[in-house]
Amino acid sequence: MLFAHDTEVALAAAAALVNSVDVLDPTDEKLPDTAALAQFVQTWGWTGEVRGDEDELHEVWALRPQLRQIWLTEEDGVVEIINSLLLEAKALPQLVKHDQWHYHLHATPPAAPLATRMAVEAAMAMVDVVRAGELGRLRICESPTCDDVVVDLSKNRSKRFCDGSCGNRAAVAAYRARRSKAVTSSN
Ligand SMILES: [Zn+2]
Ligand SMILES: [Zn+2]
């Protein structure tokens, strides 16, 4: 494992949040309403209070472009984003354990707004990435028709496509290319 378990979960969750809207086609919105957000929060295991109102949804929407900047910015800029997210939220790291999770960091109280908790969790995970000098693992999907963000936690730094359909599409294309080559050479 590259980072602590909670860091890796938080990185994946942050990427999923950023990718919940398609920047190339903003009508492709995976969090169109409060019900979709509630489902997303449950899927990714965010704990604490969810108000379920429109303001909360809009705060989460507003967080996505801020987090996306982390994937697009050089190290000093990333540090500025992280520090300001932590400062704005008055983040205070505490070790906690709950449900099936052993000790890990929470840096916001459970009653903090959902978007704040999401922001701080992502920022705390990015702290680990910056400290490890591993920002190179944050990439944009290499598919020409996709701008989704990618967190590459693979041993050999080989992840090039997002967790959406791009990886599968690339694998199928590579398989077809190999097969057609094999067919041609056997003729
Ligand atoms: Zn927790
Ligand atoms: Zn992609």
Side-chain angles (χ1 to χ4, degrees), residues 19-168:
N19 293 339
S20 65
V21 65
D22 184 344
V23 284
L24 299 178
D25 173 16
T27 61
D28 186 2
E29 171 61 75
K30 292 176 188 72
L31 301 177
D33 50 36
T34 55
L37 177 59
Q39 182 61 55
F40 183 81
V41 165
Q42 200 184 11
T43 301
W44 287 98
W46 271 289
T47 56
E49 195 197 344
V50 177
R51 293 197 313 265
D53 58 26
E54 291 290 321
D55 284 352
E56 182 176 66
L57 178 63
H58 293 166
E59 285 162 20
V60 171
W61 282 351
L63 174 61
R64 294 185 302 199
Q66 280 183 278
L67 292 184
R68 172 175 273 277
Q69 280 306 313
I70 294 173
W71 270 261
L72 305 175
T73 311
E74 294 300 309
E75 187 177 59
D76 289 348
V78 168
V79 166
E80 254 176 61
I81 295 168
I82 295 170
N83 282 347
S84 78
L85 287 172
L86 293 174
L87 195 64
E88 266 169 49
K90 298 190 175 68
L92 176 65
Q94 297 281 289
L95 279 165
V96 295
K97 62 178 172 186
H98 60 84
D99 302 303
Q100 75 273 39
W101 307 104
H102 192 60
Y103 281 119
H104 59 283
L105 283 173
H106 279 198
T108 44
L114 176 63
T116 303
R117 300 197 312 271
M118 287 174 152
V120 168
E121 188 185 272
M124 291 296 290
M126 293 300 173
V127 163
D128 285 2
V129 177
V130 171
R131 287 169 64 224
E134 294 284 7
L135 273 178
R137 291 179 178 274
L138 306 185
R139 309 206 188 102
I140 301 296
C141 177
E142 285 190 15
S143 162
T145 56
C146 179
D147 253 356
D148 279 5
V149 300
V150 174
V151 179
D152 181 3
L153 297 176
S154 67
K155 238 181 209 162
N156 53 358
R157 300 168 189 266
S158 59
K159 189 175 164 77
R160 293 158 56 218
F161 299 99
C162 69
D163 292 327
S165 43
C166 297
N168 282 336

